[in-house]
């Protein structure tokens, strides 16, 4: 057990070193960022908080948004399984699979090591699917989230039917279960930024807070369902996890989205000038008027200027909504 703690400590130390080497305060100060990625970040959220227009948080829109609730419920359902395994996996391996306490620590950590590897690969795969146009952002999020939920539920229920004579297969199923759960990083875990880049922190904070509730409930449910610590009782524990995963799959599959939400877009300023055509007069007068129209300092007195609200500008693309813009049309 002591060696596990030493390895964990060394891993944390290595992570800190890598963090200081590869991170930067702003996108423009990053040493290895590509121009495409830098421009995307600057268009979406700006260089620094001072560069962004301070906008009020649209609380009502956030709390009544179906895609946001899909993320929240998806995180809560996924967190229940995660907390169940985090708090009770060593007990299951000891009581059902009859692992020795000296082996239990390392074997309990193995599924999480598999999850870590999958997490590192998942983001890259999801980005490639989107960049190459194989899948839309919405379908990418749904694919990874549904696969994570269904795959982990099947593996977990199967592991519940293993006994001490099938320990290698049981460990394999648990490793696969956590590996499937790693796919969630390309599901709801990234979906907040798709929906509202400027408010992603607020949305993730709400979802993450809701996701901690299962952490308090899951151990109590495990204790209530396993008074005698039998294999049959543990199967009930895993069936509850699978049922919640199924619920999360249905909700996320129906309501999830991958596009910028209208309430999350910054204000768009559209100024449309409707100018009456100058009629009459001789050719010289018309030529003079034409030249004046070319002059930026010339302001027709008979123009009607009005501002168009973001709600009226529904024909704009999501990319155009990321930054304020001014459009002038003259008739």
């Amino acid at each position: 057990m002591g060696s596990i703690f030493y390895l964990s400590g060394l891993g944390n130390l290595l992570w800190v070193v890598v963090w200081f080497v590869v991170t930067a305060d702003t996108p423009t100060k990053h040493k290895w960022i590509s121009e495409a990625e830098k421009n995307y970040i600057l268009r979406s959220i700006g260089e620094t908080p001072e560069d962004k227009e301070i906008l009020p948080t649209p609380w009502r829109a956030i709390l009544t948004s179906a895609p946001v609730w899909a993320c929240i419920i998806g995180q809560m359902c996924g967190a229940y399984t995660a907390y169940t395994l985090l708090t009770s996996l060593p007990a299951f391996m000891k009581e059902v699979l009859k692992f020795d306490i000296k082996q239990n620590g390392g074997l309990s950590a193995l599924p999480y090591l598999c999850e870590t590897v999958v997490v590192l690969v998942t983001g890259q795969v999801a980005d490639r699917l989107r960049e190459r146009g194989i899948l839309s952002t919405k379908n990418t999020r749904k694919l990874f989230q549904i696969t994570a939920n269904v795959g982990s539920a099947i593996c977990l229920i199967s592991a519940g039917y293993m006994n001490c004579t099938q320990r290698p297969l049981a460990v394999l199923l648990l490793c696969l279960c956590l590996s499937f759960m790693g796919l969630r990083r390309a599901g709801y875990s990234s979906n907040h930024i798709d929906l509202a880049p400027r408010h992603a922190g607020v949305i993730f904070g709400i979802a993450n807070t809701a996701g901690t509730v299962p952490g308090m409930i899951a151990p109590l449910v495990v204790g209530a369902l396993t008074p005698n610590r039998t294999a049959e009782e543990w199967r009930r524990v895993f069936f509850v996890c699978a049922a919640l995963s199924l619920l999360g799959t249905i909700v996320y599959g129906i309501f999830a989205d991958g596009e910028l939400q209208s309430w999350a877009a910054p204000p768009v300023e559209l100024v449309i000038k409707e100018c009456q055509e100058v009629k009459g007069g001789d050719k010289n007068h018309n030529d003079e008027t034409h030249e004046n129209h070319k002059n930026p300092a010339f302001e027709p007195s008979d123009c009607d200027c009005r501002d168009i609200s973001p709600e009226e500008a529904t024909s704009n693309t999501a990319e155009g909504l990321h930054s304020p813009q001014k459009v002038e049309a003259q008739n």
Side-chain angles (χ1 to χ4, degrees):
M1 290 293 291
S3 61
I4 297 297
F5 289 112
Y6 284 121
L7 289 174
S8 177
L10 289 174
N12 290 336
L13 180 62
L14 177 62
W15 180 86
V16 170
V17 173
V18 173
W19 169 268
F20 280 108
V21 171
V22 303
T23 58
D25 293 334
T26 63
T28 55
K29 293 181 181 179
H30 201 284
K31 298 177 182 178
W32 302 293
I33 192 172
S34 66
E35 283 297 318
E37 183 178 5
K38 181 178 71 175
N39 292 334
Y40 173 77
I41 295 174
L42 294 180
R43 268 200 322 271
S44 301
I45 62 174
E47 171 67 17
T48 65
E50 290 76 16
D51 294 334
K52 296 189 297 182
E53 181 183 0
I54 299 177
L55 300 174
T57 301
W59 290 108
R60 177 178 296 180
I62 289 174
L63 295 177
T64 57
S65 171
V68 169
W69 277 104
C71 291
I72 295 173
I73 294 175
Q75 183 151 351
M76 291 183 68
C77 293
Y80 184 89
T81 299
Y83 280 118
T84 297
L85 294 177
L86 183 64
T87 58
S88 304
L89 182 58
F92 169 75
M93 299 185 76
K94 176 179 180 294
E95 296 167 1
V96 176
L97 302 181
K98 309 300 181 182
F99 275 108
D100 183 81
I101 189 64
K102 294 181 180 180
Q103 299 174 305
N104 205 347
L107 291 173
S108 296
L110 184 59
Y112 292 96
L113 178 61
C114 295
E115 181 185 18
T116 301
V117 174
V118 172
V119 166
L120 296 175
V121 177
T122 293
Q124 299 297 322
V125 174
D127 287 344
R128 296 300 175 272
L129 291 174
R130 296 165 60 216
E131 290 172 0
R132 297 177 182 179
I134 299 175
L135 289 174
S136 65
T137 299
K138 178 174 71 174
N139 290 335
T140 299
R141 302 297 180 223
K142 288 185 177 183
L143 172 65
F144 279 84
Q145 185 62 40
I146 293 173
T147 303
N149 288 348
V150 175
S152 61
I154 292 174
C155 292
L156 194 57
I157 291 176
S158 301
Y161 283 91
M162 300 295 108
N163 54 45
C164 59
T165 64
Q166 301 167 305
R167 286 188 288 188
L169 180 56
V171 172
L172 175 61
L173 288 170
L174 291 171
C175 289
L176 289 175
C177 175
L178 270 296
S179 298
F180 274 114
M181 291 174 64
L183 299 177
R184 298 177 304 174
R185 299 302 178 183
Y188 68 75
S189 295
S190 305
N191 204 187
H192 315 87
I193 299 177
D194 304 323
L195 302 176
R198 289 174 176 248
H199 307 291
V202 173
I203 298 174
F204 184 81
I206 295 172
N208 202 40
T209 300
T212 61
V213 174
M216 297 179 284
I217 297 175
L220 299 177
V221 174
V222 172
L225 293 178
T226 58
N228 301 311
R229 304 293 178 175
T230 64
E232 183 180 358
E233 292 174 344
W234 276 103
R235 282 197 288 271
R236 295 172 187 170
V237 171
F238 295 154
F239 273 114
V240 172
C241 294
L244 288 174
S245 294
L246 178 60
L247 174 62
T249 299
I250 294 173
V251 173
Y252 195 83
I254 294 174
F255 297 107
D257 199 354
E259 303 302 324
L260 176 69
Q261 303 298 291
S262 60
W263 48 264
V268 180
E269 181 185 5
L270 296 178
V271 179
I272 299 179
K273 294 184 177 181
E274 298 175 351
C275 303
Q276 298 177 358
E277 181 179 354
V278 179
K279 298 181 179 179
D282 55 19
K283 180 177 183 301
N284 292 333
H285 176 73
N286 289 337
D287 290 342
E288 181 181 354
T289 302
H290 180 70
E291 291 297 325
N292 286 336
H293 272 283
K294 291 182 179 179
N295 188 351
F298 176 74
E299 293 291 341
S301 60
D302 54 355
C303 290
D304 176 27
C305 300
R306 60 190 182 92
D307 290 343
I308 306 298
S309 67
E311 289 75 12
E312 297 177 87
T314 55
S315 61
N316 289 277
T317 61
E319 181 178 358
L321 289 174
H322 277 298
S323 59
Q325 53 185 313
K326 179 176 288 186
V327 177
E328 296 186 357
Q330 294 184 348
N331 297 322

